[in-house]
Amino acid sequence: MAHTDQRAMRRVLRREIAGTIGLLTDEHDFHAMRQYRSFTFDDHLTYLQQIETLLKSRAAQGSHTTLALFDPQSYAAYCAHTGLDPEAPASRSRFTAELAADGPTVPYDGRPLTALLPALVDEAVRQATWEYATTLLTRLGPCPTCGEDIGRAAFVRAADLLVRILDTAPPGDRHLVCSVAGPPESLVTVLHADQDTADGIELDEAEALEFTSVLALGLATRSPGGLVMRTSTPGARDRVHGWRLRAGGLEPLTAAEVFDAYCTDVDSGEPIPPESGVDYCVPPDLGEETAGHGHRH
């Protein structure tokens, strides 16, 4: 009887343990892992099917599982740095545990892997974009004239601009895209700002941080770029308006300029038909910038 009780308690405790699975999302990474003899899978599709079966089994037992993006190159570097044997499954487990702490992850919520894989890749791109933009902002250093931290001042200014853009926008769910041209690389970031039931705005904190960092980089470096917002309300036509990044600030686009941007093929430059149910509009007046926000030298 005591032995049975102990097994029952262990089953209960297993449900209390959160797990993380390091996932090889594409064929290239999968084949890179096949160099290790201890990695016994030889087909990516079969591997994904087995992962999904395991996820469903853990969910049925009441266990929570997080998916992390497993990068073979980062794993090899990790093992070289820590002195771990890359052939040992325990080394992969330790690497995966560190991914869960500070790498891109998504929780398993019952959706099929075909839906979760793009979400995981998007999360990895979002985090990489934020880290890259933050690094470039940090490298700007202090202003030689006044000593103010240029990157930090630009971030404060970008956050103020984002708040004013959302505050002056028509009611509805907002989809914002900000692009900043390189060199060294062009960056694109997306922010979803959904209207909640209390007439407030629901933001994803990580998305907002990435968006603000990229906008700040464009402002601080006076790089060309643009910011476009699309507002959707049930039963009404979508509204699209935007701004161009110019001389370290936001300049409103005319309705015709927004139309041209949306109705031109990016690759060929040829015109494309406008969407039905969409109005291309002049953006609302953002008002004066808050005094003291942003570096002006």
Side-chain angles (χ1 to χ4, degrees):
M1 182 67 176
H3 183 65
T4 302
D5 289 343
Q6 288 177 359
R7 284 190 299 179
M9 285 189 289
R10 284 196 293 270
R11 284 197 298 269
V12 171
L13 286 173
R14 287 193 194 100
R15 293 198 293 267
E16 302 293 326
I17 299 174
T20 303
I21 294 176
L23 193 61
L24 297 161
T25 59
D26 59 42
E27 290 273 3
H28 180 269
D29 287 345
F30 179 82
H31 285 294
M33 286 302 295
R34 292 194 62 203
Q35 67 178 300
Y36 302 115
R37 294 186 305 274
S38 58
F39 185 78
T40 56
F41 288 96
D42 56 12
D43 178 75
H44 189 229
L45 180 59
T46 302
Y47 161 82
L48 292 177
Q49 290 171 341
Q50 292 299 316
I51 290 286
E52 187 151 26
T53 299
L54 176 61
L55 289 169
K56 290 178 179 178
S57 174
R58 285 180 53 82
Q61 295 168 5
S63 298
H64 175 79
T65 310
T66 298
L67 297 175
L69 190 66
F70 195 104
D71 177 56
Q73 289 185 330
S74 297
Y75 173 64
Y78 170 81
C79 289
H81 176 72
T82 58
L84 294 174
D85 178 10
E87 279 285 0
S91 299
R92 292 197 285 274
S93 297
R94 286 184 58 177
F95 176 69
T96 300
E98 296 209 9
L99 288 179
D102 55 18
T105 61
V106 295
Y108 176 68
D109 56 10
R111 286 181 293 168
L113 276 184
T114 51
L116 287 172
L117 287 181
L120 181 57
V121 172
D122 286 347
E123 177 64 15
V125 171
R126 181 206 60 74
Q127 182 166 321
T129 301
W130 170 72
E131 291 175 350
Y132 182 67
T134 301
T135 298
L136 294 183
L137 284 170
T138 302
R139 289 177 181 172
L140 295 175
C143 171
T145 301
C146 68
E148 184 175 17
D149 187 300
I150 297 173
R152 183 180 297 113
F155 186 88
V156 171
R157 184 178 172 213
D160 178 61
L161 283 168
L162 178 57
V163 169
R164 288 190 289 126
I165 288 171
L166 295 175
D167 284 347
T168 58
D173 294 340
R174 295 91 182 234
H175 178 85
L176 296 87
V177 179
C178 179
S179 59
V180 174
E185 289 187 28
S186 296
L187 297 177
V188 179
T189 178
V190 176
L191 176 64
H192 300 88
D194 295 336
Q195 193 85 33
D196 65 22
T197 54
D199 294 328
I201 299 174
E202 182 180 343
L203 289 174
D204 180 276
E205 184 176 342
E207 271 193 5
L209 185 61
E210 177 207 359
F211 192 94
T212 306
S213 299
V214 171
L215 177 57
L217 184 64
L219 297 172
T221 59
R222 295 176 171 260
S223 300
L227 193 160
V228 176
M229 178 165 65
R230 180 170 183 153
T231 305
S232 303
T233 306
R237 294 171 65 86
D238 284 7
R239 294 169 60 88
V240 178
H241 51 255
W243 300 259
R244 66 168 56 87
L245 276 167
R246 175 174 288 178
L250 289 180
E251 179 182 288
L253 297 173
T254 66
E257 288 172 327
V258 177
F259 179 89
D260 288 342
Y262 258 75
C263 300
T264 302
D265 186 274
V266 176
D267 297 322
S268 68
E270 294 295 319
I272 56 177
E275 293 183 65
S276 61
V278 176
D279 290 333
Y280 304 94
C281 313
V282 176
D285 183 4
L286 299 181
E288 295 296 324
E289 289 195 48
T290 305
H293 279 190
H295 182 261
R296 301 299 181 182
H297 294 294

